[in-house]
């Protein structure tokens, strides 16, 4: 069973930065593509960013592009989301997710970490 544990959330002022981490309890991290999603109060969960199994390819939502950077360290079984120039509308619970090999859907989800951006 894969477990994902997010950390790094918190309260930050607009314009500030946070770095989220997601530690995965897997034997071979490179078997999993990883993604970050978020859910704001009263809204549906939305895609933020994703990274391929080797880290060679990255993907961003329009809201994240240019401000957020996803990366991974397979030796540490950890994926990161560096968030800069944060805005109040980035306030949400951020979830890490893992997708095994060539599967189309994310199979595993973390419990989430709260990010609150004050104006």
């Amino acid at each position: 069973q894969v477990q994902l544990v997010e950390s790094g959330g918190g309260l930050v002022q607009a314009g500030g930065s946070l770095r989220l981490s997601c530690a995965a309890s897997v034997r071979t991290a490179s078997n999993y593509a990883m993604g970050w999603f978020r859910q704001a109060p009263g809204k549906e969960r939305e895609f933020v960013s994703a990274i391929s199994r080797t880290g060679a390819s990255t993907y961003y939502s329009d809201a994240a592009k240019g401000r957020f950077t996803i990366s991974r360290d397979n030796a540490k079984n950890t994926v990161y989301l560096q968030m800069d120039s944060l805005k109040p509308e980035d306030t949400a619970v951020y979830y890490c997710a893992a997708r095994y090999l060539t599967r189309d859907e994310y199979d595993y989800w973390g419990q989430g970490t709260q990010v609150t951006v004050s104006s």
Side-chain angles (χ1 to χ4, degrees):
Q1 182 71 15
V2 174
Q3 290 188 321
L4 304 174
V5 179
E6 303 97 333
S7 61
L11 173 63
V12 64
Q13 287 189 332
S17 298
L18 283 174
R19 188 196 197 201
L20 305 184
S21 298
C22 173
S25 63
V26 296
R27 180 168 296 180
T28 307
S30 59
N31 281 344
Y32 297 85
M34 303 294 292
W36 286 97
F37 293 76
R38 68 186 184 186
Q39 187 167 19
K43 295 188 177 181
E44 294 188 354
R45 186 171 60 194
E46 63 176 2
F47 169 78
V48 176
S49 183
I51 189 166
S52 63
R53 292 186 285 128
T54 63
S57 299
T58 57
Y59 310 88
Y60 298 94
S61 67
D62 287 343
K65 203 169 297 182
R67 299 187 300 125
F68 294 2
T69 304
I70 192 170
S71 61
R72 67 187 296 161
D73 184 341
N74 284 346
K76 296 182 178 180
N77 289 1
T78 301
V79 64
Y80 306 96
L81 185 68
Q82 177 67 41
M83 305 187 295
D84 298 320
S85 302
L86 283 162
K87 305 175 182 179
E89 50 263 45
D90 293 319
T91 296
V93 177
Y94 283 70
Y95 297 92
C96 174
R99 181 161 55 88
Y100 184 65
L101 292 179
T102 57
R103 286 180 60 81
D104 292 331
E105 302 293 330
Y106 284 91
D107 304 283
Y108 306 99
W109 295 82
Q111 293 298 307
T113 185
Q114 176 70 47
V115 171
T116 303
V117 184
S118 63
S119 57

